[in-house]
Amino acid sequence: MRIALNKHTPTRRRNSRTNFLVIVLFESINQMKSSAQAARWNGMDFARAVLMILGLFFHAGSFYGTGNDWLIISDETTPIVNGFNFLIHSFRMEAFYLIAGFFFALVMEKQRPNFLRDRLVRIAVPLFVCGALINPVMHYSVYGYDYIIAKDYFIKGEWLSHLWFLGNLIIYILISIPICRHIRKNVRMTRTQLFVTVTFITPFVAAGLNFIANRIFPEKFLFIAPESIFDYLPYYCLGMICFYNRAEFTKLLSMQSFAIALVIAAAMIATREVLSIYGLTFISKVIYALLRGPMILLTLSFLIVMGNRESKIVRSFSDSSYTIYLFHLPIFVLLYKTIFQHTHLGALPEYALLIVITYALCYAIHIFAIKQSKLLSLAFNGKPFSLKDYSLLGRKLRSDG
């Protein structure tokens, strides 16, 4: 028996080693898949951050572009920033809401406790804090005291200013769970079907809903803007569709799609310009509404490929983008009224300087103030305290008292 046991022992050892290697190999493959997926979500987060930072360029363009009438109107203007604003406005918020819908579905599928509450806190707290404390000061400096105490300032949502999109997100979050469940159960798409849905169908549906809502609900109420809620809802739902078809969505985000979308967008822009020359304004507006689809696809294809890597710089850029967007417009107004209205450097140099200085100041606020205080992180980034944080804060308050 001993001889037989000794005879078969090396075979058993070899089998054990083989099984161990197989297990390690499968674990390595799973880790690689998880890392690749995490990188892809990093790309989505990076794209979301870029879209928020483009708000600085858009709002600065509203100061220095020609024919504008919003907050600050510079004495020095140029039509060049009008063209840039035209392109930014054709995709920025639509792509942002697509990503927001994607991430809502992602978080919901993780089944984290209190995830719905946390999402609402992250959106609602910064909205109401900034809307109550910062935006009125900005509006007072521009329009005066009578403007901010008027009934319409609150009732018709003028206090929202550049934060209007957060009001939409609150409504979307409240209705998202049944929509997510329906899409998860019933909507499956191939890459071609996704391409057609992103590029053509969603912009068409959004334009129709916007047309209807604009005639039924033309005015804002508090933080609710029905026209924009209906306009951007299809893109938010599209983000959920992309998540539940993420394998095909990942394949769609390629340089081939980028090239095709670029050709379609260029053809639409050229057609729109020709129609505008001949006075066909309505058709020109329809084409501009439909332009959003190919612009979304080419923008996301580029940004997600650019940002789908682990990097401290990319992570810091993404983490700070929310703070930068919240504070940029009040700082724009402050810098213009104290510095730039007294300089005469030309429209483009002032436009660039205003963006760079504002970005630097807002980034500093995020790094040296928001990140250093849990209270400020809650107020301006909507990051809720943990139970441990509440306990530590209570101890500190008691010790200070």
Side-chain angles (χ1 to χ4, degrees):
M1 290 295 292
R2 286 180 182 175
I3 294 173
L5 182 61
N6 291 336
K7 181 179 179 180
H8 292 288
T9 297
T11 302
R12 292 178 179 177
R13 287 175 178 169
R14 283 197 298 273
N15 290 338
S16 298
R17 291 194 194 105
T18 302
N19 290 337
F20 175 74
L21 290 173
V22 169
I23 292 170
V24 170
L25 179 61
F26 273 110
E27 287 181 349
S28 299
I29 291 172
N30 288 332
Q31 288 176 359
M32 289 173 63
K33 288 181 178 179
S34 298
S35 298
Q37 189 179 62
R40 180 62 62 182
W41 303 164
N42 287 340
M44 292 285 282
D45 201 31
F46 173 77
R48 176 171 57 181
V50 170
L51 294 168
M52 295 197 78
I53 298 305
L54 281 176
L56 277 70
F57 291 83
F58 182 77
H59 291 142
S62 298
F63 289 6
Y64 289 98
T66 58
N68 293 315
D69 183 18
W70 184 69
L71 274 181
I72 297 293
I73 304 171
S74 174
D75 294 333
E76 301 180 75
T77 60
T78 171
I80 295 175
V81 297
N82 288 46
F84 193 40
N85 271 18
F86 169 84
L87 289 176
I88 293 175
H89 192 58
S90 68
F91 67 85
R92 186 174 73 91
M93 293 312 304
E94 292 80 4
F96 174 84
Y97 280 117
L98 185 153
I99 295 173
F102 185 98
F103 276 125
F104 182 92
L106 172 66
V107 174
M108 192 183 94
E109 289 303 312
K110 289 182 177 180
Q111 297 182 341
R112 292 176 179 170
N114 301 318
F115 89 93
L116 190 63
R117 181 205 66 187
D118 290 345
R119 299 298 287 181
L120 286 171
V121 167
R122 182 157 174 75
I123 301 301
V125 172
L127 170 62
F128 292 114
V129 169
C130 290
L133 300 180
I134 295 178
N135 286 357
V137 175
M138 173 182 71
H139 288 136
Y140 170 77
S141 69
V142 176
Y143 300 122
Y145 182 70
D146 290 340
Y147 179 77
I148 64 171
I149 64 168
K151 180 179 67 175
D152 285 352
Y153 182 73
F154 298 98
I155 299 297
K156 294 187 177 181
E158 297 300 324
W159 58 276
L160 289 168
S161 190
H162 62 302
L163 306 180
W164 62 269
F165 72 101
L166 296 178
N168 288 5
L169 280 178
I170 291 174
I171 302 300
Y172 295 160
I173 289 170
L174 292 174
I175 64 174
S176 286
I177 291 179
I179 297 174
C180 266
R181 288 173 177 167
H182 173 78
I183 292 172
R184 178 177 58 190
K185 184 178 179 181
N186 299 298
V187 181
R188 289 294 175 268
M189 291 188 179
T190 64
R191 178 170 54 171
T192 302
Q193 289 171 330
L194 264 180
F195 176 84
V196 174
T197 302
V198 173
T199 310
F200 301 110
I201 295 176
T202 304
F204 183 81
V205 173
L209 290 176
N210 176 266
F211 180 82
I212 294 169
N214 191 36
R215 279 147 185 80
I216 300 175
F217 310 106
E219 294 184 345
K220 291 182 289 188
F221 176 71
L222 298 178
F223 63 89
I224 300 171
E227 179 188 349
S228 66
I229 286 174
F230 282 100
D231 189 16
Y232 295 111
L233 180 60
Y235 296 98
Y236 185 80
C237 294
L238 177 61
M240 298 178 185
I241 292 172
C242 291
F243 174 79
Y244 288 112
N245 296 271
R246 53 193 175 276
E248 297 302 317
F249 180 59
T250 300
K251 295 175 186 176
L252 181 63
L253 298 175
S254 64
M255 294 312 296
Q256 180 184 12
S257 297
F258 174 86
I260 295 171
L262 182 61
V263 170
I264 295 172
M268 283 185 168
I269 291 172
T271 303
R272 179 183 179 274
E273 292 304 313
V274 171
L275 292 173
S276 298
I277 292 172
Y278 287 98
L280 300 173
T281 308
F282 178 77
I283 301 176
S284 175
K285 288 180 178 179
V286 170
I287 290 177
Y288 182 66
L290 299 180
L291 174 64
R292 298 187 286 183
M295 288 296 293
I296 288 171
L297 184 56
L298 73 88
T299 301
L300 292 184
S301 297
F302 177 74
L303 291 179
I304 289 174
V305 170
M306 288 289 293
N308 67 347
R309 58 181 60 87
E310 282 289 348
S311 164
K312 289 183 179 179
I313 295 176
V314 170
R315 173 51 52 197
S316 179
F317 172 76
S318 298
D319 288 344
S320 62
S321 62
Y322 197 11
T323 300
I324 290 169
Y325 187 83
L326 291 178
F327 284 94
H328 83 276
L329 194 56
I331 291 179
F332 269 2
V333 171
L334 175 65
L335 289 175
Y336 185 85
K337 290 181 74 67
T338 57
I339 299 174
F340 287 101
Q341 71 175 352
H342 306 296
T343 62
H344 302 283
L345 304 176
L348 285 178
E350 287 188 13
Y351 168 82
L353 278 173
L354 182 64
I355 292 170
V356 170
I357 295 171
T358 298
Y359 183 93
L361 290 173
C362 292
Y363 184 77
I365 290 171
H366 179 76
I367 296 298
F368 299 111
I370 307 298
K371 284 190 71 174
Q372 305 305 319
S373 167
K374 292 187 181 297
L375 185 60
L376 292 178
S377 292
L378 172 63
F380 295 106
N381 282 178
K383 294 183 178 179
F385 290 165
S386 66
L387 292 176
K388 182 179 178 181
D389 294 330
Y390 280 119
S391 176
L392 291 174
L393 180 63
R395 291 177 190 172
K396 186 177 186 304
L397 291 174
R398 286 194 295 271
S399 64
D400 290 344

